[in-house]
Every structure is written in C-alpha cells, then in structure tokens.
Amino acid sequence: MWHMKNRLSLLLVTLMFTVLPMTGQKTPVGEYSLKYGASCSEPRQDTDMQRFRHHRLGAFVHWGLYAIPGGTWEGKTYRGAAEWLKSWAKVSNEDWMKLMAQWNPERFDARAWARMLKASGARYVKITTKHHEGFCLWPSRLTPFTVEHTPHGRDVLGELVEAVNDEGMDVHFYFSVMDWSHPDYRSSLRTSQDSVAFARFLDFTEGQLRELATRYPTVKDFWFDGTWDASLRQNGWWTAKMEKMLKQLVPGVTVNSRLRADDRGSRHFDSNGRLMGDYESGYERRLPDPVKDLKVTQWDWEACMTLPENQWGYHRDWSLSYVKAPHEVVEHIVHAVSMGGNMVVNFGPQPDGDFRREEKDMVKALGNWMKRYGECVYGCGYAGLRKQDWGYYTAKDDTLYMVVFNRPYSGMLNVVMPKGQSPQMACLLDGTPLRIEETASGEYHVAMPRKDPGEPFVIRLKISRSGSTKRQYREALT
Ligand code: JFZ
C-alpha cells in the first residue's frame, strides 16, 4: 500500500514537472490538460451575467422561410417540427430557397412584436438570426439567402433589435452553425476534401458571426444551435475561438454551452467536467428533476419550451399537438427559477408577420400572471429547499416565496424549514397576512387564503434564522 502511494506521488510529481510546464497551464493532477476547455471555473459574477440571470424569463422567436409552408409540402402535412420541414419532405436547397420569392410579411411590425412580447412578462427576446435552413433574417454579405433578396427586402433582424431595445428588453441571437444551404457544410469529415470544405465553412460562419456582432452591437447573448455533428466536435478549437471573438467584439456578451466542444470532442461540459460557455443550455422542452438533479443549482442554465409539444417554427395545424395551458407554462417558468435557471417561452410567428390567436392569448395570460406574481420570478433563484407537494420555493435575499400550484384539502400548506429557521411572517403579495401554525411535531403550516385565488398564487415568507437573530441582537446591544 505504502509503495503504491509512493509510486503515485512519484507519478504526480513527474507529471507536475514535465507535462505542466510543457502546456503552460496549471492542470490539477488527474485532469486533462485542455487548450479549448472551459474559460472559467466559477459562474461569472459581472453585471452582464447578473443581468442575464436576474431576467429569468425570456421569449424565443423562431421565424424563417419554414413559416411559409407551415408544416405542409406538396399537399402532405408533416407532424414533425415545422422548422425541419425541408428535411422531413426531402426538399432540395434550390426548391426550398424558391420560398424566398414568397417572403413578404405584410403585417410585420417590429414595434408591435416588441410590445406584445414584453406584455408576456419576458425581459429578453431570443431571435433566430439563421436557422438550419440557412435563410438569414439580416442582409448578410456572405450568402445570397437573406431577407435582402426577397420581395419584402427589409432587415427584419435590425428592425427587431431596435424595437426590442426601445421597449427596454435585451436581444439575444439564436444562431445555427449547421447550415443546410451551404455547399461546404459537412456533418462528418470522411475525406481530406471534406476537411478543406468544412474549413471554408467555418470561415464563412466566423464571417457571419462577425457581421452580427458588429452590425448589432447591443446584442447581449449568442445562443448557438446545430452544433452536434461530428465535424464540429472535431473542431472544438473553433468553438473556443468563436467564444473569445464574440466576447472581444461585444464586451459582456454571454454564450450558451451548446456552442462548445473541447479538444477531445466533449460538448457542453469539458473533459474535466467544467461547464463551457456561460450557461448550460441542454434543457429543451424538459426540465431538471427537482429531486434528483439538484446539481444544476451550482451553475447558470436556461431552458426553453414550446407551446405545443414540439413546434418552434409556425405550423398551420396545431390540432395535431397537445397545446399547453397558461398555468402549465407558468409552472415550467417557476420550476426553472426554483432550481436557479431561466426559462424561454417560444413563439413562431405566421408568414404574414402576425402571431396566431393561441400565442396572443398565451401572452395575455402569462403577462397577467407575471404582473401579479412576477416578484417570485424576477431576480429570484434556488431557495435551498426541495420542491413540495403544493409547489415550489423560490428565494430572493432574505425573502422566501412559496408558489402554490396544488391546494391540499386541509387548506394548510406544510412549510419545510432548514434546521434552526422558522417562518416569522406569511402573507400574500398584496400584504394580506396568513396564519402560521406550529404543529406538535415541530413543523409549520401556513393557512390558505380565505378566498381561493383560483390560480397558482404566491406566499411571501419572512424567515428568522436563530443564529443570525442572536447575532443581530448582540450587534444591537454593543
Ligand atoms: C434545436 C433545433 O433543431 C430546433 O429546431 C429548435 O430550434 C430548438 C430550439 O433547437 O433542437 C434541439 C436541439 C438540441 C436538443 C433538442 C432539440 N437537445 O440538446 O436535446
């Protein structure tokens, strides 16, 4: 045993003196020495990151040529995601790009969009600058497939950036690296010709990202997608380079983990288990389990959600899907916040530039709820307490929120407190006090409000910590 230990230390010492000086990096023993791994090991605490985190609720907008066929091609309706129709119906790039001749969204009004999205309670808007199809919502100089070469001709993205910013919201850019329209795109690199073509493709993509960052410098975030192919995994260096480049071009900008792959092809988290990019972005139409997945409370993350099961772009026939009710969406938002994450709710505008009825109704319902109860969402996070049968806890500084979705028959909500803490005061957000009872077993109950709110509602709790209370007394006395 002693020998083993000795040998191990010898190995460690040799490693420290040989490998580390060679790479010039401090690599803890037992870890891979990575050139393109995580750029920081702790969550960012600068003002831009805090702003991102405090917003908590965003709106996604998926808009592109796919809105025109809306899930139907040559008379056949495809149930899959509408923004993937080109792939489902095996449409050639040439035929797909003929849709550009029909891009004339007469009812598109960026200001109306921004007002509407703001009314949902969202604090930022994520816009698809370019989805997998390759059609750009900005007049890119690097491809013919842009809004500029359509009957509409307008810089849709530019108009949206301005309108969304004028409404006081942040703009985030969705960008798909995978591009079905580009002749040099490769999903895998089998031959040296593939590698040469893909290198050209990466240059082209870098150029597009430069365009976006310099044309629209108020952008706060780049949310990458379409990064799962082997070709990109083998080029982790490029994803690290893009993160660096964007951060130089747009100080303070945030980048999602989906952009990133490291030297060894690990995605999201590097080979040493560290989060790459500024926040984790793998929760898509699903959320971390509130009991099993508490590890997510250690880093920043953002989830996104569709209103039907799986439609991001406009699909004409939502009758093929289950569509969430507003209270379910509210629960997803609160669930995310209760575990320290953001939630982005998706909208897929129609080809005429208007929003479908269901989305307008959703905005109103969400907005009404957020106006009344947003206090438990904005700037809030993980409370250090588990999900309860009645709903979720969120927290902000010394305030604890109970967000109640399920009412017990008894009308008494069980409050679980960490040891040494007790609820001192419970009230509704309008200040209406609620009765607190201590049970024989030392648990606390808060009584439901006399009048049932008839919707998910929020209780604000003031907590006393015995330790800190004692300290406060002592400080008051001295
Ligand atoms: C991608 C896109 O393919 C889709 O069209 C949409 O834009 C969505 C927001 O992102 O879809 C994904 C990407 C990643 C996962 C699932 C769907 N994932 O990591 O589980």
Side-chain angles (χ1 to χ4, degrees), residues 408-420:
Y409 285 133
S410 68
M412 299 307 280
L413 302 157
N414 194 27
V415 187
V416 178
M417 290 274 114
K419 259 213 166 90

Side-chain angles (χ1 to χ4, degrees), residues 216-234:
Y216 312 104
T218 63
V219 62
K220 293 286 181 222
D221 174 82
F222 280 81
W223 196 93
F224 286 89
D225 191 20
T227 50
W228 46 74
D229 280 336
S231 50
L232 199 64
R233 292 176 84 131
Q234 283 166 38

Side-chain angles (χ1 to χ4, degrees), residues 60 62 83-84 131-132 174 223 225 228 258 282 284 312:
F60 224 138
H62 273 72
E83 73 281 4
W84 277 75
H131 204 266
H132 310 332
Y174 165 107
W223 196 93
D225 191 20
W228 46 74
R258 197 178 289 180
E284 167 134 359
W312 298 91

Side-chain angles (χ1 to χ4, degrees), residues 1-16:
M1 198 57 205
W2 187 86
H3 272 291
M4 278 258 292
K5 258 195 195 156
N6 234 9
R7 252 191 234 162
L8 253 180
S9 3
L10 195 71
L11 192 75
L12 300 187
V13 171
T14 325
L15 262 174
M16 275 161 69

Side-chain angles (χ1 to χ4, degrees), residues 358-389:
E358 298 95 322
E359 291 187 347
K360 289 182 182 171
D361 291 348
M362 181 61 73
V363 161
K364 279 207 189 107
L366 275 185
N368 282 337
W369 196 88
M370 289 299 292
K371 237 183 254 145
R372 283 200 287 278
Y373 302 108
E375 188 184 325
C376 74
V377 169
Y378 304 123
C380 290
Y382 178 53
L385 297 167
R386 285 235 176 142
K387 181 189 183 308
Q388 300 296 310
D389 290 343

